[in-house]
Amino acid sequence: MGISRQIVWGLVMCIVGLMGNCGFRGVEATHKVYVKLQRSEAKEVLRAHHPGFHFRPPKNWMNGPMYYNGIYHLFYQYNPYGSVWGNIVWAHSISTDLINWIPLKPAIYASKPFDINGCWSGSATILPGNKPAILYTGIDEQHRQVQNIAFPKDLNDPLLQEWIKPDYNPVIVPTRDINASYFRDPTEGWWGPDGHWRVLVGNVRRDNAGVALLYRSRDFVHWTKAKHPLHSSADTGMWECPDFYPVSSDGSQLGLEASERGDGLKHVLKVSLDHTRYDYYTIGQYFHEKDIYIPDKFCADNSTGLRYDYGNFYASKTFFDAKNKRRILWGWANESDPVQNDNAKGWAGVQTIPRRLWLDENGKQLRQWPIKEVESLRLHQVKMNDVSIRKGDSVEIKGITAAQADVEVTFHLPSLTDVRLEPFDSTWSVDPQRLCGEKPSTVESELGPFGLLTLASENLEEYTAVFFRVFDAKPKPVVLMCSGGIRSSIGEGIYKPSFGGFVDVDLSDRKITLRSLIDHSVIESFAQGGKTCITSRVYPKLAIGSNARMFAFNNGAETIKAFADMSRHVAVQKRGKRLARVCPKIWEFVWARILRQIEQLDEKRNCERGRGRSGLDEMTAGLEVVLNLGGGQQGPGVIEKMNLEWEDPENHYCRFSGFLHSGWAIQPARWLGKIPQRVGHLDSRKSLLS
């Protein structure tokens, strides 16, 4: 598995964004275009369904990293002017832990003839000499989809804030045999044994076969199309956002760089199917000498095949985290309420929690699990041990904030030899989502449904059920997992599916495990250690904030026992010195911008002194500032709380928020750092970084 280490990993984004109102050879719009709303700003960013620990911009439409010199970079497609698709730029945020993000100005926006009509998805690669390069799809003056390249303007800038697009673009253009309206989303590059770089570009042939076109280059600038594609599959339609990478087949959970080759590995080819709006993958062999990928025989090479996630999850992208030797998966969970709601609430679309990804020991599927950094958000841990849940029971789980929680449950089943399971109909295997719709959480069987009622109202008018059913089949029982459903909201006009997937479980130990991350309008669930994953977007009207409840339930005939470990999910950060030491320039940049904004308010500040505390609540020119000046145990002049949220016309946006207690930041989404500063004297950047 050896390869020169100078070929360092690098990858960045593939996010949908495809097909607006372009006319070359008759583009069929994937995104419905709402012209009147593309530049319609919300007067207020509504918070009812606002995720707390999932990445999303402060407002407007998005849909997404690269690890470089100690910093994670997330590039994503973003509309800076409205909450619907349109006006797409490559937005840019940075992080040192994949949880707390700092937004920067957009990295790429339409400005040249080769991308004047749009800057769509792409990827990044770290070239020899530790030089990042971005390949992305541009829509040129002829409305063709072409592939362009961009480089950082200043490699000494640790934040890589500015990118340049050489005038020799485009570097890859559609030849006469390629439909220029279906030619997009270049992958991360990988280095071959012949000294050439390779990338894939998604395409569809006239016969509706999905295609991963292969291109080679010695210098990453001059590209030649290979005589044959890396892979294609009949009747699968346009392949968006292809992703191709190696995984270890020797049982290791460590990730591999894209250019890794040798024994003890397999390759994964993932494509996002435009006609289903889901992501599918195959596992197989990549023959480097012939540049051909052949899926293993057990993999269905179409829309009935394996999926990363069986819910609201699309346009995903993986990257190799060189720091922690792991491959990380990001996915996009779009809104499923009416587009008018997106405009009203002022934002749309979230990234799922970053997931570590590896090949299961059976070699037949991938497994996923939330990155370990997510566990740093846990607070107020609650346990539930050996609780018997009988038929019709709903046991409320108390002691946590149910609207924002991390729950791990192990369900202990009765002896299967004593249970007459419901027979499994083999025709059900084709469409588990339909089966979940036909057999919701209220339909009884022998073993199941049992699971969790998340985001539930007090009287269960609303709830999102995440549950299991066990069916009798040969050679072993079939386990169905479902999430979502019509009861998730009493609201009208909302898409409320019951997503479903089958779980490969050995029930010899009579245990089924579930982990659910719940974040206001996002529920990510992982069954049996990440063998099956389902993401749901839900929009309750009653089960909001402190009114949300959580229950463990069982509507099956057989009694189930539950063991649960739960915690409220908020960001609790006490690592200011370490993070500042890792990348002090990030915090210099952040604080310089915060201080400039505060200085603008110095003359307007009007504090009303109270008993041991004073407060400020002021709005000026789109800049929202809330300062509660410390007193009492904190001592005079210590900031106890500071939330800043503004729209910067030059830099598009910059948002910070936090709760500072004894100088430490505690908050749900963005971390400020340590601020032992006196109000009115916030110009000492050095002390802020101490």
Side-chain angles (χ1 to χ4, degrees), residues 70 72 95-101 323 326 354 371 373-374 376 573 575 578-579 671:
Y72 296 100
S95 173
T96 57
D97 62 4
L98 289 170
I99 300 296
N100 301 285
W101 293 90
K323 176 183 177 182
R326 58 188 176 178
I371 58 171
E373 289 85 343
V374 174
S376 68
Q573 302 286 1
R575 297 172 292 174
R578 184 177 70 82
L579 282 176
W671 181 42

Side-chain angles (χ1 to χ4, degrees), residues 406-420:
D406 186 349
V407 184
E408 293 190 61
V409 188
T410 299
F411 296 101
H412 288 231
L413 311 182
S415 173
L416 299 186
T417 58
D418 301 330
V419 178
R420 188 174 181 178

Side-chain angles (χ1 to χ4, degrees), residues 177 179 203-211 232-238:
D177 59 326
N179 188 332
N203 184 234
V204 60
R205 290 199 302 245
R206 294 182 182 275
D207 60 1
N208 201 40
V211 181
S232 64
S233 183
D235 297 321
T236 52
M238 175 62 194

Side-chain angles (χ1 to χ4, degrees), residues 534-547:
I534 301 179
T535 298
S536 293
R537 296 300 311 276
V538 296
Y539 307 88
K541 299 292 185 180
L542 304 175
I544 294 174
S546 60
N547 293 323

Side-chain angles (χ1 to χ4, degrees), residues 26-46:
V27 173
E28 299 174 5
T30 303
H31 289 278
K32 189 171 183 179
V33 179
Y34 297 86
V35 177
K36 292 183 180 180
L37 299 181
Q38 285 182 352
R39 290 180 175 267
S40 178
E41 286 280 6
K43 295 181 180 179
E44 179 183 6
V45 179
L46 302 182

